[in-house]
Amino acid sequence: MDYKEILAKKISKITNISENDIKEYIEIPPNSELGDYAFPCFRLAKELKKAPQIIASEIKESIELDEVLERVECVGGYLNFFMNKINFVKETIEEVKEVGIMGAFTGGLKATAGGISAAILFGYLAAIFFNPKAKA
C-alpha cells in the first residue's frame, strides 16, 4: 500500500493541486512523535495565497479519516499524519507472506521506510515470542 499516494489523493482533492506535486512534498518526520508522514504547507502558501498555518488547519478540517488514516495534527505550517498501526501491521504481514521478509524491506512496502517496517514487525514478533512484562 502506497501511503504517500493515499495522502496525496486526500490532499489533492481538498486543494485542487495535482497528486504528483503533493506526493513530492510529503516527507517522513525526523521524530515519530510528529507522525508517520508530514506535509509542509509552506510550499502551498504562494499558490493558495494563504498562510501555511491556515492551509494546514483547513486541510485538517476537511480531510477524511478512515481505516488507513487514524488522525491528523497541525504543528505550525505542517500537517502531521498518523497512520493506523493495526492496519499497517496487517499490511506488513500480508506483504511478508506475499514476497518474503527481505522483499518487504527492499521495496514491497511502497512509501514506507524499511526501518519503520522492521521496528514494527520485530516489535510485534518480540511481543508474541517473549511476552514482555512490566517492571515492578
Side-chain angles (χ1 to χ4, degrees):
M1 183 175 292
D2 189 339
Y3 293 105
K4 281 188 177 183
E5 189 172 308
I6 291 168
L7 293 173
K9 282 182 184 179
K10 289 176 178 284
I11 297 169
S12 176
K13 190 175 178 182
I14 296 165
T15 62
N16 293 320
I17 295 173
S18 83
E19 288 179 29
N20 288 334
D21 289 344
I22 299 291
K23 188 174 178 179
E24 285 181 29
Y25 299 149
I26 296 172
E27 53 194 49
I28 295 176
N31 181 340
S32 63
E33 291 175 6
L34 297 174
D36 300 304
Y37 295 94
F39 180 72
C41 296
F42 306 98
R43 298 179 185 223
L44 304 181
K46 188 175 182 180
E47 190 170 344
L48 298 177
K49 296 180 173 67
K50 295 180 183 177
Q53 294 84 353
I54 293 171
I55 296 169
S57 180
E58 288 176 352
I59 293 172
K60 180 187 177 204
E61 295 303 316
S62 300
I63 205 157
E64 293 180 29
L65 302 180
D66 54 25
E67 69 277 353
V68 175
L69 181 59
E70 192 169 88
R71 76 179 198 269
V72 181
E73 293 179 358
C74 295
V75 177
Y78 282 86
L79 277 170
N80 295 334
F81 299 98
F82 295 82
M83 310 313 280
N84 181 325
K85 301 296 186 264
I86 293 170
N87 188 53
F88 182 79
V89 169
K90 286 179 184 175
E91 288 287 328
T92 302
I93 291 170
E94 287 302 315
E95 192 72 24
V96 169
K97 285 180 185 176
E98 213 173 283
V99 296
I101 195 159
M102 289 311 295
F105 295 137
T106 58
L109 291 173
K110 297 177 187 159
T112 58
I116 294 171
S117 301
I120 290 172
L121 180 62
F122 291 117
Y124 179 73
L125 293 174
I128 290 172
F129 292 115
F130 300 109
N131 193 14
K133 301 200 183 330
K135 293 182 180 181

